[in-house]
Amino acid sequence: HDFEGMKKYSEEACQAPKYAWTKWNTTMTMFDFNKVYMPAMARGWPTKVEALFAGAWTCAMGSSGCDMAYCAYSFCQLPNGKIGRYEECPGWDPVQGMPLPAAAQ
């Protein structure tokens, strides 16, 4: 429950070099986004490049903080290396979300 902390973190994340090629802070348009996003939707999952572009889109829309908070609440990495969601994740709680990783405690 740290809005200002998440806002700061998301602003820093948007400046990461991995997003620079997307031009999210200068020329990215809805057409650009749809050109990348729609093939991922048709396939049912994004490639790494498509996922990075979608992440940059949230920066272009003003903040990636809400998406980051949603993902932290909803998803985990399972012991087998796959991505789990909600009840599949050890310790998930509908009110508290995911438990903090051991490294963050």
Side-chain angles (χ1 to χ4, degrees):
H1 301 107
D2 180 4
F3 178 81
E4 291 302 321
M6 180 54 80
K7 182 176 182 282
K8 182 177 185 273
Y9 181 74
S10 69
E11 288 168 353
E12 291 168 359
C14 287
Q15 297 304 319
K18 66 183 177 182
Y19 294 125
W21 65 273
T22 67
K23 300 193 178 5
W24 72 264
N25 60 348
T26 56
T27 61
M28 184 185 281
T29 66
M30 184 75 175
F31 179 79
D32 297 328
F33 175 71
N34 282 329
K35 190 169 56 174
V36 172
Y37 183 73
M38 295 317 259
M41 291 298 292
R43 184 182 325 106
W45 67 87
T47 65
K48 183 174 182 176
V49 168
E50 291 164 344
L52 284 169
F53 200 87
W57 174 256
T58 66
C59 297
M61 293 297 94
S63 175
S64 61
C66 290
D67 288 85
M68 294 168 118
Y70 167 73
C71 288
Y73 172 86
S74 303
F75 303 103
C76 70
Q77 185 168 3
L78 297 170
N80 65 5
K82 294 188 177 199
I83 301 295
R85 63 182 176 166
Y86 306 122
E87 307 73 25
E88 297 172 345
C89 301
W92 179 81
D93 179 83
V95 174
Q96 299 297 318
M98 293 298 157
L100 285 174
Q105 295 179 9

